[in-house]
C-alpha cells in the first residue's frame, strides 16, 4: 500500500489530462492574432470601391508612362500607316466613282438632246425673222421646249461681241473689220450647247479680225 502512494506522488507535474489539454489548445488558437473568426482591422483592402472611386482615382506616373509609350508605338506602327494610306486611297476612289457616275448621266442626256439641236436652230431662225410673236401658239411651244431642256441641264453659249475662244467657238468665217485689235464674235450662226462637262457642239460663229491699214 505504501508503494502505490509513492507512485502517485512521483507523477510529473506538467502532465495534463487529455480532456483538459484539448480545451487549452482551443483557447490558444482563439486568442492567436489573425485567427479565423477574429474580425480584422478596417483598412483600404476592406472597403468597397464604387465606379466613381475608380473613375476619380488619380493616374499614377507608371500608368501615364505606359500610355505615352503606347501612343508612340501607334505612331511608329507600320500597320497604322498602311491603314491611313488605304483609307485615303478609298476616299479618292469613291470621289472618282461618283464623278464618273455623274458624267455618265450627262452623256446619256446628251445623246437624247443631240437629236433636238436642229429643232432649236429652227426656233432661233424663226425668232430672228419675227415668226415667234409673243403670245402666239408657236412662241408658247418654243418656250416650253426650251424650258424643258434647261431643266435637263442644257446650257447654250455663243454671243455677239464676246472674245473669240477656239475652245468653245468654231470659226466658219473671218470678216476684216477696221480697228479690231482682238478677234471677237461678229455673228452667231449656230449656238453652242453643253450639259455640265459634256459639250454637245461648239458655237459656229463669224469672227471679226483686224483689217490692214
Amino acid at each position: 500500500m505504501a508503494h502505490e502512494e509513492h507512485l502517485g506522488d512521483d507523477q510529473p507535474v506538467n502532465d495534463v489530462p487529455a480532456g483538459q489539454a484539448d480545451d487549452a489548445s482551443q483557447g490558444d488558437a482563439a486568442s492567436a492574432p489573425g485567427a479565423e473568426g477574429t474580425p480584422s482591422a478596417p483598412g483600404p483592402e476592406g472597403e468597397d470601391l464604387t465606379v466613381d472611386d475608380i473613375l476619380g482615382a488619380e493616374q499614377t506616373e507608371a500608368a501615364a508612362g505606359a500610355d505615352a509609350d503606347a501612343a508612340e508605338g501607334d505612331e511608329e506602327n507600320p500597320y497604322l500607316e498602311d491603314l491611313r494610306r488605304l483609307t485615303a486611297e478609298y476616299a479618292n476612289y469613291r470621289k472618282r466613282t461618283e464623278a464618273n457616275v455623274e458624267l455618265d448621266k450627262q452623256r446619256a442626256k446628251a445623246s437624247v438632246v443631240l437629236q433636238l439641236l436642229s429643232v432649236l436652230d429652227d426656233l432661233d431662225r424663226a425668232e430672228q425673222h419675227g415668226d415667234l410673236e409673243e403670245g402666239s401658239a408657236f412662241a408658247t411651244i418654243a418656250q416650253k421646249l426650251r424650258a424643258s431642256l434647261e431643266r435637263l441641264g442644257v446650257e447654250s453659249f455663243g454671243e455677239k461681241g464676246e472674245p473669240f475662244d477656239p475652245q468653245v467657238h468654231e470659226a466658219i468665217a473671218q470678216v476684216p473689220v477696221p480697228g479690231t485689235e482682238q478677234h471677237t464674235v461678229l455673228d452667231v450662226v449656230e449656238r453652242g450647247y453643253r450639259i455640265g462637262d459634256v459639250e454637245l457642239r461648239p458655237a459656229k460663229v463669224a469672227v471679226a479680225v483686224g483689217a490692214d491699214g
Side-chain angles (χ1 to χ4, degrees), residues 32-80:
E36 186 177 357
T38 303
S40 59
E45 296 80 359
E47 296 179 356
D48 294 334
L49 294 178
T50 63
V51 176
D52 294 336
D53 295 336
I54 297 174
L55 296 178
E58 296 183 359
Q59 189 179 30
T60 63
E61 295 182 359
D67 292 342
D69 293 340
E72 293 178 359
D74 290 342
E75 294 178 357
E76 299 175 357
N77 190 343
Y79 297 103
L80 182 60

Side-chain angles (χ1 to χ4, degrees), residues 124-184:
D124 289 339
R125 296 187 186 98
E127 188 174 14
Q128 292 174 2
H129 289 83
D131 295 335
L132 294 182
E133 296 180 2
E134 185 177 357
S136 65
F138 194 20
T140 302
I141 294 173
Q143 183 179 4
K144 288 182 178 180
L145 176 60
R146 288 170 174 170
S148 298
L149 293 177
E150 288 179 359
R151 285 193 292 270
L152 291 175
V154 178
E155 300 177 1
S156 64
F157 58 90
E159 299 292 341
K160 293 181 180 180
E162 64 184 12
F164 174 75
D165 184 357
Q167 299 295 328
V168 296
H169 298 142
E170 179 182 349
I172 61 175
Q174 292 185 353
V175 180
V177 177
T180 300
E181 298 180 356
Q182 182 182 11
H183 293 182
T184 58

